[in-house]
Amino acid sequence: MHHSTLLFDLDGTLTDPREGITRSIQYALAQLGIDEPDLTRLEPFIGPPLLQAFMAFYGFDEARAWEAVGHYRERFKRVGLYENLLFDGVLEMLEHLRGQGRTLYVATSKPSVFAREIARHFAFDHHFTMIYGSELDGTRTDKAELIAHLIAEERLEPAQTLMIGDRKHDLIGARANGLEAVAVGYGFGSHAELMAESPAYHYATLAELRAAFG
């Protein structure tokens, strides 16, 4: 993979945010009178924009979905964003890629304010030129819109830019902007979900992803 610029998704690609996100979703639902004791049922929330996820998975209208997002953020900003784990080997991979002279960015649907705090707390922020996320009002939660914004702001050449992510939203967003994409199989997207988007590359493990960069 020759690309000089790499865009990394955050959740499910660099970190495993399972506990923090699902417990914060559980908290938000409880505030709305919905009891969901099984956290595994809430894992589909990891990756897609939260507002749309609440509407799709629980049938909320937009007003109620925004209310749920507000409750989610109450817990997530205090506790949930720290209930997170870096995947083994991520720091070594990022250091290796920078050593090759590549430029790295984060491109996540998560609000920038949360993404930057996670990167700071887990000490990988210095590997990235900039961390791009959405706004708290929902602007740029769509991955295609986010990547377009990042490319414009940084004046990137799409042919030299590669998107790396674990959900279909990453692959769709890359394709919409003329980027090749890597689908990683160790995150939260199923093999079927990822293959349906025909990514240029697919690596089942982080070790395989790291090896592919030489």
Side-chain angles (χ1 to χ4, degrees):
M1 294 185 286
H2 65 279
H3 308 79
S4 59
T5 305
L6 307 177
L7 313 184
F8 281 90
D9 175 48
L10 179 58
D11 294 339
T13 303
L14 296 174
T15 73
D16 181 349
R18 186 186 324 254
E19 181 179 359
I21 290 178
T22 57
R23 289 192 180 280
S24 297
I25 295 293
Q26 183 185 55
Y27 172 84
L29 293 172
Q31 304 313 300
L32 298 175
I34 299 170
D35 178 39
E36 180 48 78
D38 184 0
L39 292 177
T40 63
R41 291 183 49 134
L42 303 178
E43 289 181 9
F45 277 90
I46 303 172
L50 274 185
L51 182 73
Q52 288 81 359
F54 276 117
M55 294 169 73
F57 301 146
Y58 280 86
F60 293 171
D61 61 22
E62 187 170 346
R64 189 162 173 82
W66 271 120
E67 189 179 355
V69 169
H71 290 309
Y72 170 91
R73 289 174 177 170
E74 288 171 15
R75 185 187 186 280
F76 189 78
K77 68 184 179 183
R78 289 185 291 102
V79 182
L81 62 84
Y82 304 110
E83 295 171 326
N84 206 336
L85 297 169
L86 269 176
F87 287 117
D88 288 341
V90 161
L91 293 180
E92 293 82 359
M93 179 182 67
L94 296 177
E95 187 171 344
H96 172 73
L97 293 173
R98 284 210 306 148
Q100 291 181 323
R102 303 183 201 247
T103 304
L104 313 182
Y105 296 90
V106 169
T108 175
S109 295
K110 186 183 296 298
S112 296
V113 63
F114 297 151
R116 290 170 183 163
E117 173 58 14
I118 289 167
R120 182 206 65 79
H121 180 77
F122 291 96
F124 61 87
D125 52 340
H126 63 286
H127 289 298
F128 293 94
T129 297
M130 185 67 72
I131 294 172
Y132 282 86
S134 63
E135 303 300 324
L136 291 171
D137 66 0
T139 303
R140 290 190 294 276
T141 53
D142 178 80
K143 215 50 173 281
E145 182 185 356
L146 175 71
I147 293 172
H149 173 71
L150 193 164
I151 290 172
E153 288 290 306
E154 300 294 333
R155 300 180 181 180
L156 301 181
E157 173 54 55
Q160 291 297 319
T161 305
L162 183 69
M163 180 69 209
I164 303 166
D166 72 309
R167 297 299 307 270
K168 65 181 181 181
H169 314 84
D170 303 307
L171 311 181
I172 293 168
R175 185 170 60 246
N177 287 283
L179 275 59
E180 287 193 323
V182 173
V184 298
Y186 56 83
F188 294 92
S190 69
H191 186 267
E193 173 187 320
L194 297 172
M195 290 302 97
E197 303 305 331
S198 302
Y201 310 92
H202 175 267
Y203 301 108
T205 68
L206 185 65
E208 290 177 18
L209 175 64
R210 161 67 176 80
F213 285 113

